[in-house]
Amino acid sequence: MSVPKLELSGLLSRCTFSDGQAEIRLAPFEMSQDELPIWSLVFSEPSFDAGAVEPSLDSEVEIEVFDGRAMIRDIFRGAEQLLVGSELKVTRVSYDVTDLRLHVRTLEDSSKYYSAELRAATAKDMQGRGILRELLRRAEIKAAASDHHRERQAAAINVLKRLQAHFGE
């Protein structure tokens, strides 16, 4: 192939078809405050369908733009797809309602995931604290049983109390 006119990278956010055109939108990796953060590639009379782009949606891609065609390289899948149209226009555009809805959905999904992870970690923490209390209780009972056990349990009790202090008990 020849030298590309433009090289882009980002997240392939969506691909839409209407009126003999296909639009592919490339979003930045993170939400941007730029006025025009989205790259829009509009193919007139595309020779491809949604199935050609669909596997790379929501994936990190690199795009090389040529006259009337673009090579999309899916970074993680290692796949390449040549998209061709009678004409290709590349412009920067602002977020639209669909972009913002997709971003909100992504944030909601992340929030649900991290909330579940936090619940699991909190449950493990509470369980660990309960085990620590029980070990300390048993060591103190054993130490109180006799002088012989008191001396042997002193080091264990000391370690358990340091762990309690570390975990804020």
Side-chain angles (χ1 to χ4, degrees):
M1 271 193 191
S2 59
V3 176
K5 288 183 167 187
L6 187 61
E7 294 180 357
L8 311 170
S9 65
L11 298 174
L12 189 60
S13 62
R14 70 179 195 254
C15 178
T16 55
F17 289 83
S18 65
D19 301 326
Q21 292 186 329
E23 180 188 24
I24 294 176
R25 293 175 69 94
L26 187 67
F29 295 112
E30 294 180 1
M31 193 71 170
S32 173
Q33 297 298 320
D34 292 344
E35 192 173 312
L36 303 172
I38 305 285
W39 284 100
S40 171
L41 289 77
V42 179
F43 294 84
S44 297
E45 301 173 16
S47 64
F48 60 93
D49 61 8
V53 180
E54 199 170 288
S56 296
L57 286 176
D58 297 323
S59 296
E60 184 177 329
V61 297
E62 292 176 342
I63 300 177
E64 294 178 338
V65 177
F66 302 91
D67 286 326
R69 65 187 194 280
M71 174 63 76
I72 297 180
R73 190 171 296 110
D74 189 315
I75 300 300
F76 296 111
R77 289 182 37 243
E80 290 185 352
Q81 182 69 39
L82 181 64
L83 306 178
V84 179
S86 63
E87 184 181 2
L88 172 57
K89 293 180 186 173
V90 179
T91 56
R92 293 196 72 134
V93 296
S94 62
Y95 290 113
D96 64 11
V97 174
T98 304
D99 293 322
L100 296 175
R101 283 185 181 145
L102 289 171
H103 186 67
V104 167
R105 188 179 71 212
T106 301
L107 292 174
E108 287 172 341
D109 291 346
S110 293
S111 176
K112 288 176 187 175
Y113 171 78
Y114 288 118
S115 292
E117 289 291 310
L118 180 60
R119 276 192 298 280
T122 301
K124 284 181 181 179
D125 183 59
M126 296 303 291
Q127 184 181 17
R129 288 174 189 239
I131 290 169
L132 181 61
R133 283 191 298 273
E134 181 62 19
L135 287 172
L136 183 59
R137 185 185 73 77
R138 288 180 183 198
E140 288 172 342
I141 290 171
K142 196 170 185 179
S146 70
D147 290 337
H148 173 71
H149 288 298
R150 183 179 356 242
E151 293 170 11
R152 296 179 74 186
Q153 293 297 314
I157 290 171
N158 188 28
V159 168
L160 292 171
K161 285 186 177 182
R162 283 192 315 213
L163 280 172
Q164 269 189 326
H166 175 74
F167 289 114
E169 288 260 328

